[in-house]
Amino acid sequence: MRTCLVVDDSSVVRKIARRILEGMDFQIVEAEDGAKALEACKQAMPEAVLLDWNMPVMDGYEFLGHLRRMPGGDAPKVVFCTTENGIDHISRAIHAGANEYIMKPFDKDIIAAKFQEVGLVPLPEPTVA
């Protein structure tokens, strides 16, 4: 089973993301800040990371820089999930190694679409009429 690391300082956001991603057949690991997320990655590198930007201890941007420099840290697909919607934030995230970017609040359809775009979830089969 594929693993997704959900990194957010809000337990409510982590719970919602967990429910959505478990429905997409992901095993979930949670971290409430970037430092704890790095420790989780050292234990077992996930296939996906759903990453908040603004967190205490270590923010998502700093975590992403550390992740991408770790052995195997180039492999996970990273989707930033944040309230930061300025083009400068999006550009910084992509240049730092994020694969995609979604805005809070999110729902199942938004996460599914972004995970499909980065190749984590297969595209739905076309229906034939």
Coordinates of all heavy atoms in Angstrom, one line a residue, residues 45-46 67-76:
M45 N 10.5 6.5 3.8 CA 10.2 7.6 2.9 C 8.8 7.3 2.2 O 8.5 6.2 1.7 CB 11.2 7.6 1.8 CG 11.2 8.8 0.9 SD 11.5 10.4 1.7 CE 13.3 10.3 2.0
P46 N 7.9 8.2 2.3 CA 6.5 8.1 1.7 C 6.5 8.2 0.2 O 7.5 8.8 -0.3 CB 5.7 9.2 2.4 CG 6.7 10.3 2.6 CD 8.0 9.6 2.9
L67 N 13.9 17.8 2.8 CA 13.4 16.5 2.1 C 14.1 16.3 0.8 O 14.7 15.2 0.6 CB 11.9 16.5 1.9 CG 11.3 15.4 1.1 CD1 11.4 14.1 1.9 CD2 9.9 15.6 0.6
R68 N 14.2 17.3 0.0 CA 14.7 17.1 -1.4 C 16.2 16.8 -1.3 O 16.8 16.3 -2.3 CB 14.4 18.3 -2.3 CG 12.9 18.4 -2.6 CD 12.4 17.1 -3.2 NE 11.1 17.3 -3.8 CZ 10.2 16.4 -4.0 NH1 10.4 15.2 -3.5 NH2 9.0 16.6 -4.6
R69 N 16.9 17.2 -0.2 CA 18.4 16.9 -0.1 C 18.6 15.5 0.6 O 19.8 15.1 0.6 CB 19.0 18.0 0.7 CG 19.1 19.3 -0.1 CD 19.9 20.4 0.6 NE 19.4 20.8 1.9 CZ 18.5 21.8 2.1 NH1 18.0 22.4 1.1 NH2 18.1 22.1 3.3
M70 N 17.6 14.9 1.1 CA 17.8 13.6 1.8 C 18.0 12.5 0.7 O 17.5 12.6 -0.4 CB 16.6 13.2 2.6 CG 16.3 14.0 3.8 SD 14.8 13.6 4.6 CE 15.1 11.9 5.2
P71 N 18.7 11.4 1.1 CA 18.8 10.2 0.2 C 17.4 9.7 -0.1 O 16.6 9.5 0.9 CB 19.6 9.2 1.0 CG 20.4 10.0 2.0 CD 19.5 11.2 2.3
G72 N 17.0 9.7 -1.3 CA 15.6 9.2 -1.7 C 14.6 10.3 -1.6 O 13.4 10.1 -1.9
G73 N 15.0 11.5 -1.1 CA 14.0 12.6 -0.9 C 13.5 13.2 -2.2 O 12.6 14.1 -2.1
D74 N 14.1 12.8 -3.3 CA 13.6 13.4 -4.6 C 12.4 12.5 -5.1 O 11.7 12.9 -6.0 CB 14.7 13.4 -5.7 CG 15.3 12.0 -5.9 OD1 15.2 11.1 -5.0 OD2 15.9 11.8 -7.0
A75 N 12.1 11.4 -4.5 CA 11.1 10.5 -5.0 C 9.6 10.9 -4.6 O 8.7 10.8 -5.4 CB 11.4 9.1 -4.5
P76 N 9.4 11.3 -3.3 CA 8.0 11.6 -3.0 C 7.4 12.7 -3.8 O 8.0 13.7 -4.1 CB 8.0 12.0 -1.5 CG 9.3 11.5 -1.0 CD 10.2 11.5 -2.2

